[in-house]
Amino acid sequence: MRKFILMILAATVLFAAVLEEAERLFRIGDEKAATKMLTKSCDEGVLDSCVMLGNFYFSNDKRKFEYEKAVNLYAKACDGGNLLGCDRLGSAYYEGRGVKQDFALAAKFAKQACGADIPYSCIVLANLHYYGWGATKDHAQALKFYERACELKTASSCVMAAKMYEKGEGAPKDMQKSLLYHDKACALGAKPSCDKAQNLK
């Protein structure tokens, strides 16, 4: 048993070293070496490598022709249980990059990733429920996910939660809770919420 644990720890250290080296190669501009290393690692089943490689293909508008490649990498990672892969896959379907925009699929993958406290997926879920895109229009559910994303320190979600309590959307109107979320947004750098909080006090 001890030998097995040591093998797992050694593999974890090795995988982390691969990701760190790939990051270093990207920083110095050696994209060819970085992508070669990540491709090999991804093919060997290191799903974080698949996500990092997908992020590279997905991050530059000049590489739009490679968005589909990124989506395939995210799908591989998500299918293998990597929730960052699910987050990025949901984002692709939400934004319609590399795949045809599909809000229902965006909701499916965002739900998985939000359950693991990945903020962007919680925001996606909140937006989908708020507007009724690919999910039931449900302001109470939207508010729940905005609050969750706010607790994960995304200022825009704190602002949305504050506005919803101010308007009575998804919950009874509550100016104290609106103030609470404006204060949270302010602390995260949303200056308009700082001003709004001062006006509410």
Side-chain angles (χ1 to χ4, degrees), residues 141-158:
Q141 282 282 54
L143 179 58
K144 180 182 81 171
F145 289 119
Y146 283 132
E147 289 180 307
R148 188 166 187 174
C150 176
E151 294 306 316
L152 295 170
K153 303 190 182 307
T154 58
S156 62
S157 296
C158 301

Side-chain angles (χ1 to χ4, degrees), residues 54 57-58 61 63-75 88-102:
Y57 291 133
F58 214 53
D61 285 341
R63 308 187 76 90
K64 287 182 179 178
F65 62 95
E66 290 182 313
Y67 282 175
E68 187 175 342
K69 190 183 293 187
V71 169
N72 289 335
L73 288 163
Y74 293 146
R88 301 309 302 146
L89 187 57
S91 171
Y93 279 109
Y94 182 68
E95 298 171 16
R97 288 202 290 165
V99 287
K100 183 179 179 181
Q101 191 173 53
D102 188 322

Side-chain angles (χ1 to χ4, degrees), residues 10-24 37 41 49:
T12 301
V13 170
L14 178 61
F15 297 157
V18 168
L19 296 176
E20 287 178 9
E21 177 61 10
E23 285 181 353
R24 186 190 72 80
M37 176 180 286
S41 180
S49 293

Side-chain angles (χ1 to χ4, degrees), residues 3-19 41 44-46 48-49:
K3 184 177 180 181
F4 176 74
I5 292 172
L6 289 174
M7 287 174 62
I8 294 295
L9 288 173
T12 301
V13 170
L14 178 61
F15 297 157
V18 168
L19 296 176
S41 180
E44 291 171 350
V46 182
D48 282 343
S49 293

Side-chain angles (χ1 to χ4, degrees), residues 78-79 86 90 102-113 125 128 134:
C78 184
D79 288 346
C86 298
D102 188 322
F103 290 136
L105 284 175
K108 173 187 173 183
F109 294 116
K111 186 175 181 180
Q112 292 175 252
L125 270 181
L128 294 174

